[in-house]
Structures are given as structure tokens and as C-alpha cells.
Amino acid sequence: MKVGIIGATGYGGVELYRILSNHPHVEECILYSSSEMDVPYSNTFPHLHDLSDHILKNIDVEDIKKNIHVLFLATPPGVSRNLTPQFLDSDVKIIDLSGDLRLKDRNEYEHWYKRPCVEDEVLEKTVYGLSELNKEEIKKATLLANPGCFPTATILGLAPVVQNRIIHEQSIIVDAKTGVSGAGRNISQATHFSETNENIKIYKVHEHQHIPEVEQALFALNDGITAISFNTHLIPMTRGIMATIYASLQESYTTESLLDLYKDFYAASPFVRVRKQDEFPSTKEVYGSNFCDIGLKVDERTGRVTIVAVIDNLMKGAAGQAVQNFNLMNGYEETTGLYFAPIYP
Amino acid sequence: MKVGIIGATGYGGVELYRILSNHPHVEECILYSSSEMDVPYSNTFPHLHDLSDHILKNIDVEDIKKNIHVLFLATPPGVSRNLTPQFLDSDVKIIDLSGDLRLKDRNEYEHWYKRPCVEDEVLEKTVYGLSELNKEEIKKATLLANPGCFPTATILGLAPVVQNRIIHEQSIIVDAKTGVSGAGRNISQATHFSETNENIKIYKVHEHQHIPEVEQALFALNDGITAISFNTHLIPMTRGIMATIYASLQESYTTESLLDLYKDFYAASPFVRVRKQDEFPSTKEVYGSNFCDIGLKVDERTGRVTIVAVIDNLMKGAAGQAVQNFNLMNGYEETTGLYFAPIYP
Amino acid sequence: MKVGIIGATGYGGVELYRILSNHPHVEECILYSSSEMDVPYSNTFPHLHDLSDHILKNIDVEDIKKNIHVLFLATPPGVSRNLTPQFLDSDVKIIDLSGDLRLKDRNEYEHWYKRPCVEDEVLEKTVYGLSELNKEEIKKATLLANPGCFPTATILGLAPVVQNRIIHEQSIIVDAKTGVSGAGRNISQATHFSETNENIKIYKVHEHQHIPEVEQALFALNDGITAISFNTHLIPMTRGIMATIYASLQESYTTESLLDLYKDFYAASPFVRVRKQDEFPSTKEVYGSNFCDIGLKVDERTGRVTIVAVIDNLMKGAAGQAVQNFNLMNGYEETTGLYFAPIYP
Amino acid sequence: MKVGIIGATGYGGVELYRILSNHPHVEECILYSSSEMDVPYSNTFPHLHDLSDHILKNIDVEDIKKNIHVLFLATPPGVSRNLTPQFLDSDVKIIDLSGDLRLKDRNEYEHWYKRPCVEDEVLEKTVYGLSELNKEEIKKATLLANPGCFPTATILGLAPVVQNRIIHEQSIIVDAKTGVSGAGRNISQATHFSETNENIKIYKVHEHQHIPEVEQALFALNDGITAISFNTHLIPMTRGIMATIYASLQESYTTESLLDLYKDFYAASPFVRVRKQDEFPSTKEVYGSNFCDIGLKVDERTGRVTIVAVIDNLMKGAAGQAVQNFNLMNGYEETTGLYFAPIYP
């Protein structure tokens, strides 16, 4: 199996490389970049000194069609719109980590992303790849939209109570927190160390482009879900997302009964770890791993439940889930090359 | 004016010292500790080398009654219950930074704090000191309960919309984030650097003892408020609190009209800074200062408003507000010795 | 007294503003920027909301000559070379925080800074402003080169043993560590949060432009000093510099005797705090203040002494020392508006 | 192969577990603790939820002798002295991660560690396990002292120039910096987040117990080495050590020629990565991996060389090197289960 990564010089790309270079079914990994070409990959990422002798290649569609079985797009917004149509007639399976293919409604895309949507033919062929919720479709996919980091934590945190109509559909509030690597490797004032360290910032208030992605996925589980409240905060750390989710219960439930529901719901999902009663996950407890850990507790005083879901934004929130989907799409065991422990502390 | 600080070896105590040692009306500052006595204060806090020649004194009630005009209690839970009754017959004004005197309902106190409440006589005499909302009472107080850090940010963030019945009373959800200094100077596994760095943790889910304090204050503004949802998260930074507040609007409002309401509400409050439309405060923007900064935005899609309030937990959330109340209680200008800029970056 | 700050949108500029806006002898502070003009200063720095109603002004030399008594240049490299000559014929006193005027030898400047040096007339008029070592000259200066951050810590750490010929002149090794704010507010890959957090980087090995500045100052104290070893490391924190200095003793000394020497040497220096035996300063212990704290210890096994000097790089390492020099140049008490405690924790 | 870990609840222990639980030749891993017994390991370390069903066992020497082939001691100082003699008559191979067995001279041990040394019989049997320098002896060892974190970086950084007598033996100065996890999981004021964050501290000046370990190893390479200068600094990050090493060259060398020497010296050492000219490693570039990366540069001005060596203190500085030695002691390929990429960013 030969795989390609376009956008190898970003954080998503290099995390894909970390996993795929140890994957038992990947024979060769070819790295593409539009910004840096014909230079050693380890120049860009010196932590790969001696580990990688890859030379970054210019993107050549014909060459990719001939040599690559699965292509990962770890590219900035807008790139997939141009690239994916060129592979529709080929055998190359594509896993797109950008947000370009995730929304089924092109108007929603253009409203939230402020850029033209991909063409309909591509959209129709695309399978949304939240591994735990969409496994059978993913197995047959040849073009896959890998979920966003916030949507992954939020949807996994909500799916059991949404699908089972346990919460009021209009009551969902998601307060998300992320480490800074979610903003990528490109520099900006907002991710300048001196501005970000020892600081919490809220950003894109009510306007984050992951909102419609969450709503689309929840609506598929329960068509009573229309609009959710969702905000994101930048936290002075590199990796990790926590989604703290609040919702009103339709009727009275105990914490224990809801935890049982979650354990059942995710019984066949090796990467979702439902925590014990009175134990809530912290982001460091999934650092570097593909796990999504979930804790929850009912608040009798308010009739609400608080659900906490954590992931490593570069793993289950990006490269890890992409490889999980790669496994599913190619008939491998879902956990192949991915089932390793978080790094702690 | 001679002031005393009991609990000078804690973070609240040393922040009080930083402010009071530069206060124009404070002639002398006497420092007490029950854990360290007869040792130079600068042994405990070497950053005060050459700046302080204070020797930590043992707590001697009679001595304090004779020599001190205003006494600050920056003590752990439970200490005020024993100390305050001993001063009821004296002229010493007391400002208590602990949570022991804040709740008017002794059952609530004992339920949330899991310890016996102070005696009724003390409770009746105590004035709750959220400076902006309770100014006239504070001016006459001789025994003052200084608000908690989370309640300060939350109540200031909510007061205008609660008092003006703009939001649904049962819809309030507060997602709070705090730096680690809020946990104090005493060591614990939860505040061990290697466990806290590069990590977000939720804690005391639905059980934080600041919940009844917030509810008591909001109820005073609007008796429709009974229970709120409130959670706290530990963030890998030293100082700063952000309260992200969600609530449903009773009817349609624009962001602009609500910002105008806030500006009016806080027109006479020099330490509350209502931000411009589309500008949200970050915690670093109040670092080391006594400001509470507020931003907000209406979400038409959900009919909710998101309100963000930030403070420095050791300043407006503890020592700063205590000195603000000290100013009010003694007839000084509210801003005396306190109106300095945040330190940035 | 009216003062101007050119480069007010940088970190040095905004720290100058923090100090000068509370300085008792500064009546007005006018802010200039070449990058942002005619916009409110609080747009650039929202932490100054309500505190500053300044509008950033374009640099107008004639206007400055008429209206400003003392001008601070907190500008990037190269700007002072163009600006300072235009004020030579005026009464405006200039304090330059950039490195452009610090080296007396123009060849050295051009070698280390890789840019043309300022003209000789400017160089001759310039006084090097390490406040503690050069007080009499500074008092008479009209054009002052404010020292660099690393040189300040290093020179203050070494001056007593260098001047008193206690150490071997060729044995000096300085291992310096700095917070990231020293790199300024301009963004770069090297100061991108995700690259800098949880990381230590050495940079400009043997090539830091502060090396000749240190050597020039030490040579002035002891002409046996020619070349020192000096390296700098980037530490994942915002503020603070530690210089760990190693040197061989000419003969046997006790730690106590050297500490006594330091205390004598700095007896008239209110901002240098020589620590007690067995106590070493940490950077947080000077955070936000103008102090330089020094600890040292003799190592009998090797015949060397380890000297540790810490400063806040934006205060004693930049804006704080600039105001200290401003005080000296204008006949004010050296500590005016500057003698406040570090913020801790 | 069955292995045991005593001290599994410490950071060294859990890092051993992370590696060994994925090691192809380890069939079973049994975990012992003296502080927590008969409780699930994942209670102590929730990041292992679902990954570990181990129950922490009390230390039972007879049971270990019967069931365990290789025993790792990841214990606090002093424990090995009591434990190791009990296994001398058994077939259990022991790898001790504490400092108790590292010094061959019992007087040195008692002087630096301030506690009684292990008995002579144990000392004589012990092989010092710096994998790269002592490979043949390690292969035959049954009782191994795993090196300290600082010594590993320092000795690997110095070995080529020390053995080849390229530097003056009395000129070595090591300025080391470490993340906080090196202080272990036990809490203390010095590792309290609010004291450590945004701070650099020097500690154990001239008194670090790793000094004699470094000197002993360097003396073995070059008997001209007696005393070195060595200091350690606590850096606000979790993992990583950088040793910045200064030494005077015996004669003139180019950077290139020294880099070639290092590449030759470490040609057969897969975990030592000698960097390219003008490239220095940062600690993040080895995060979570077993690599020691080295960069260096000659300073013609001073006739000194600056050598920088970085490791992950819990990997090559503790658990990683222990498993590397485990591989060597059991005839496995040195890199088995250990040759994975650093996690970046």
C-alpha cells in the first residue's frame, strides 16, 4: 500500500506521517507540499532527523494517480475544492482532512466558510467520516471528509443522548476549549507566544465554521436538532480539546443510567472510553493518542446534564481519525497502527 | 491607618500586601500567620527582599484590637468562624476574604461547605461586598464578606440582564475557567506542575461552593433566579478567570442595545470595562489589575446571548476587590491605590 | 514634562507607557508609530481600554522638537540611525532603547549587527546608560543608549568581580535564558506558540549581537577582559531573563566574602538586590519590577564562582531602566515612579 | 518474558509501562507499589482507562523470584539498597533506575547522597548502563544501574571530545535545564504550578548528586578529568533536558571536523542523532522518544566549543534507556520497541 500526503509541512501532515510511517500495511509514504519542494522533509521538521529521508515533492496529479493508493489531503481551506475533482476518474481513494467536503448543503458551506463550495459531483460522492457513527458507509467510501476537531469531540459527546432523545433538542450548549496547535503551523498575532501564554481567549463567537458540521451530524441522529450554541476558547497549551456540553434532560435520569447508555452505545468503539461515575477526563489523559474520553453527570438541581468529551486535536481530531478511517476503508482492523497509550505526564 | 493581614503567607495575603504597601492612606501594615511566626516575611516571599522588613507575627486578638483599624482575613475555610466573633465588641473593621461569611442561609453554607456555619450574630452583621452592586451598604459596613473569585466575574457579567429581566431566569449556564493560583499556595496533586501543565481539567462538577453565592446575589436582583448551571475548569496558567455565560433572551435584542445597557449599568463603576461591539476580553488583558472586563454578543440563531467576563482572580477576585471595599468602608475614593494598568504582555 | 514614545505599538513601548502614565513628573505622554496611525492606542492594546484615549500619531520631527522634552525610541534596529541625527540641534533629550547606539566601535557594530552604523557625531554624543555603573555621565546625558536586556543582567552580575579583578579575565562564560517577549511583538515561526511551548531552544550560538556590548562594558571596568563566551536560550515563558555566569577565581574566596563585596558595590543601587547566602533568585521574583537580583556561590572543587542575575527583560532589561535613566537625566530621584514590588505569583 | 516494575506509580514507572506494554518480547508486565496496593493501576493513572487492567501488587520478593525474569526498580532513593541484596542469589535480572547503584566509590555516594551506600557485593556486581558507551558489559549484566537523566545528556554530549582529548580536562562547564517531571510525581512547593510556571529557578547549586556520576563516567574515558562545573535549572515545561556544555579546545578545530568526529563516534548508536552544521536541537524535537540529539559549534573568538545535548528526561533519561538496556541484556535488537518518532509539536 502506497499512500500520499499533500500538505505534509503542516501539523496535520506531520502527525499523519508519525502514524503512517509505523503502520504495518503502509509500504511507502510519499510527501507533497506546494510551499516547499525538493527539500528534505527533515529540514522542515528536524525532529525527524535520521528518521525520514523523504524529499518533499511537488504535487503532480498524474504521478499520484499512477503511484498512490490512498491520498491524504492535509491542506488549507479551498485546496480540496481544486484537487479532488481531478481524481474522480481514478482509483485513488481520498481522505480529506480540510473542512471543504464536510457540509452536504453547499449554501451552508458558502455561508460559514465564505468561499465557493466544491462541485456537486464531489459532494455527492463524499462520505462523512466520523468513524464511530458511520462505519458501514466509511468502509465503502472512496472519497472521505474527515471530521473537524471540535465536531469530533462534540458529536461523540452528544450522540447517545441525541439519538435516544434524552435531551431537549433546543437546549444544547457547547463550550469548547482548544490548545493552540489547532490553529496550525502558520504564524499569526493570535498564536504569537507572548500573546497566548498565560491567557484565555474566546474567538469566532457564534461564528465558528464547525457549528454547521456539528448540527448536520446531530440532525442526522435526531431531526429535532436545528441550532446549537457553540463557542471556542484558545488555551495556553499545544494539544488537546475539551468540549463541555450542557443540555436539559427530557425527564429524570441518573448519572449511572446515562453512563450505562454511553457504554452500550460505544461498546464496539475501541477509541471511545466512557469514564467511571465521578471521574471526568482531562485533555492530558488522551495526549498523543486516538482516544475520545467521555465523562458526564446529571445535575438534579437544574435538570441538566454536563457531558465532557476530550480528544487530542491532532489525533482523534485530525490525523488519528484519518488513519482510523483509512483502516476502515481498506478492510484493516480499525485499531491497526493506532492503538497506543497516551503519553503521560 | 493601621491595617492587619491574617494569612499573609497565602497568595491572597501577599497580593493584599502588594497593594496596601503602596496605598496612600495605609501608614502601617502588620502581618500575621498561624503557620510561620517570628520569621521575616521575605523568607517566605523572597520577591520582597529589601522591600519588606516585616516579621510575621502570631495572631494575638487583644493586640490586634488595640493596634489595628482594619483587619483583612485571608485565611483558609473555617478560620473566620472562630476569629470574627472575637472582634464583634471592638472597633476593628473586618474584611473577610474567605467564603465563611458570604452565605446568608446557614443551611446552604453547611450543605455546600460541609462544615458548621458561623454564628447568627456574625452573619447578621456581615455585608456582602460586591463593590459595584452594594456600594451604599459597604460604605457603612464594619464586617464585610469579600466575594469569591468566580462569583465576582459571574455576577458582574450577569447583573444588568438579570436585574432588567432580559433573560429567562432558568436558562443561565456559566462555564468558568481559572488559572491555578486560585487553588492557593498549599500544594496538592491537582496543582503539581507536571499534572497541570499542558492540561485542562474540569473539577467539582455541579458541586462548587461558589454556586450558592452566585445564586444568592442573582436572586437579590431578580427573584425569579433559583438554580443556575455552573462549572469550573483548571487552565495551565497562573492568574486569570474567564466566565463564559450563556442565557436565553426573553425577547429579541441586538448586541448593540445590550452593550448600551451594560455601559449605563456600569457608568459609575470605574473597574468594570464594557468592551466594544465584536471585541471580547481575554484574561491577560486584566492581568495584575482590578478590572473586570465584559464582552457580549447576541446569537440570533439560538435566541441566546453569550457574555464573557474576565478578572484577575487574585485582584478583582480577591485582594483587589478587598482593597476597593476597604476604600469604600473608610470614605476614600474607590480607586485609591488601585487604579493601575494591567501588565501586558 | 512632556514625553514621547516612538514605537509605542511594540512591547517595549507599551511597557514604557505603563510606567510613564503613572510617573508623577510626566504631564503628558505622546505616542508615535510608523505602522499604525490615527487609530486609538487601545485598539492595538485592548488592555488599555478606558485607561488610554491616546491616538497614535505619525512621526513628525518638527512637531516633536516643539512639543516634547524627552523622547523614547522603542524602535526596531536601524530606525535610530535615521532618527537621532535629526534631533542633534534640538533640546529634545533622547533615550534610545534599540541597540543602534550602544557600541562605540562602529566596526564592531557593523560586524555584529550586519547594518551600517550611525554617524560619528551621534556616537560621540551618546552615553551608555547602565544606570548603576554610569550614574554621573547619565545625569548629564542628552542622548542615551539604553542597555540591552542580556547585557544588563550580565554586566550587573559581573561588575564587582570584574572591576576588583577577582576572576580570571579569560574565564567568563555566560549561559543566558530568556522569556519569549524579548523577541518582541512581531510574529515569527520561532515565537509561534506551538513551537515554543514545552520547548527550550538555543539560538544565535556565539553570534548574539549583545556579546560586544557586554565585552565593551566589562573592558571599561577591567581592560584584561577581551572575549567572553555567551549563549542565549528561549524558554517557554513570557517575561524574565536569567544569566547564569561561570568564572574562575584568581585566588580563594568564600561565598560570604564575595556577597559582602557585592553588597558594598551595590550599596547605593536601590534596584540591585544582592541575595542572602544559599539563596538564589528566580525570574518570577522580579516579574513586572525594575529589580536585578543577584545570588552567587563559590565552588571550592573547581575554583569557580557561579553568579546568577535575574531581571524582567521588559523592565530592568528595557522600559524600566529607560525610566530609571530618564529620572537620572532629569534630576529626579532614581526610583521615582519605579519602586514597586514584583507581582507574585 | 515476564517483567516487573517496582515503583509503578511514579513517572518513571508509568513511562516504563507505556513502552513495555507494547514491547514485542514482553509477555506480561507485573506492577508493584509500596504506596498503593490491590487497586487498579488505572485508578492512579486514568489515561490508562481500558488499556490496563492491572492491579497494583504489594512487593513480595519470593513471588518475584519465581515469576519475574527482569525487574525494573523505579523507586525513590534508598529503596534499592534494601531490595537488591535480596535478589543476588536469584536469576532475576535487575535494572535499577534510581541513583543508588551508580557510583562505584561508596564514599562519594555517601557524601553526595547523604545516606548509607549499598553493600559492596551489590556494588561490585553492578554494571553502569550508559548504553552507547558500555554496550559489551551491559550485554552480560544481571544487575544494572541505569544512568541519571542529566548524566545521560552530559556524558553523551562530551564523550567524543573527552575520549579523544580534544578539550582541556579542567575546562568543562555544564549548564543544564530540565522540565519539571524530572522532580517526579511527589508534590512539593518547588513543583507547585503557580511557583514554577512563568519562572526559571536554579537549584542545588554545585551540589547536584549527578555531578559525581558524570565525573566518574568522564574519568573512565579520560583520567585527566577530575572536577567539572555543573548546574541545573528548572524550566516551566513538563519534559525535556538540555545540557549546554562549554569547554576549551586543546588546539584549533573546525565545527565541521568535530561534527565528523561525533558522527563517527556514534555511527553505531541508533539513538544518538548528531545534527548538521548550524543546526542545534531543541528539547521538543526529542519529546516522547529515546533519542539524544547533539549539536555543536566552535567559537574561534574564545577557543571554546559549545555542545548542546537534548533528551526526553523520562525516556532516554530514564525509562527509554532502561528498556534499551533491557534489550541489550536479553540479546534483542537495541531498538526493539523503542524506535519511534518524537511527538511534534
Side-chain angles (χ1 to χ4, degrees), chain C residues 6 61 65 71 73 75 78-90 92 94-98 100-101 118-119 121-123 125-126 142-144:
Chain C
I6 297 187
V61 170
K65 286 185 185 173
L71 181 66
L73 303 182
T75 44
V79 176
S80 306
R81 191 171 67 94
N82 297 323
L83 270 179
T84 46
Q86 305 182 52
F87 292 97
L88 284 191
D89 64 345
S90 79
V92 182
I94 293 184
I95 297 174
D96 179 27
L97 283 80
S98 85
D100 287 354
L101 311 185
V118 71
E119 53 195 66
E121 197 188 345
V122 174
L123 227 47
K125 218 179 154 187
T126 304
T142 56
L143 178 52
L144 183 131

Side-chain angles (χ1 to χ4, degrees), chain A residues 122-133:
Chain A
V122 173
L123 227 48
E124 280 153 24
K125 218 181 155 187
T126 305
V127 170
Y128 183 69
L130 194 66
S131 322
E132 281 73 17
L133 300 185

Side-chain angles (χ1 to χ4, degrees), chain D residues 62-117:
Chain D
E62 289 315 309
D63 188 67
I64 292 173
K65 285 184 185 175
K66 259 179 277 171
N67 290 302
I68 297 290
H69 301 105
V70 179
L71 180 66
F72 292 86
L73 303 182
T75 44
V79 176
S80 306
R81 191 171 66 95
N82 297 323
L83 270 178
T84 47
Q86 305 182 52
F87 292 95
L88 286 191
D89 63 345
S90 78
D91 292 334
V92 181
K93 292 183 185 176
I94 293 185
I95 297 174
D96 178 28
L97 283 80
S98 85
D100 288 353
L101 311 185
R102 293 183 198 143
L103 299 186
K104 288 299 176 194
D105 180 334
R106 57 186 311 112
N107 296 325
E108 283 282 287
Y109 179 85
E110 294 181 354
H111 171 70
W112 290 89
Y113 281 80
K114 322 274 184 224
R115 60 175 71 234
C117 187

Side-chain angles (χ1 to χ4, degrees), chain C residues 271-286:
Chain C
F271 289 115
V272 178
R273 305 191 297 188
V274 180
R275 290 299 189 80
K276 292 183 292 196
Q277 190 153 355
D278 291 321
E279 188 178 291
F280 279 84
S282 71
T283 58
K284 204 181 184 75
E285 290 164 4
V286 297

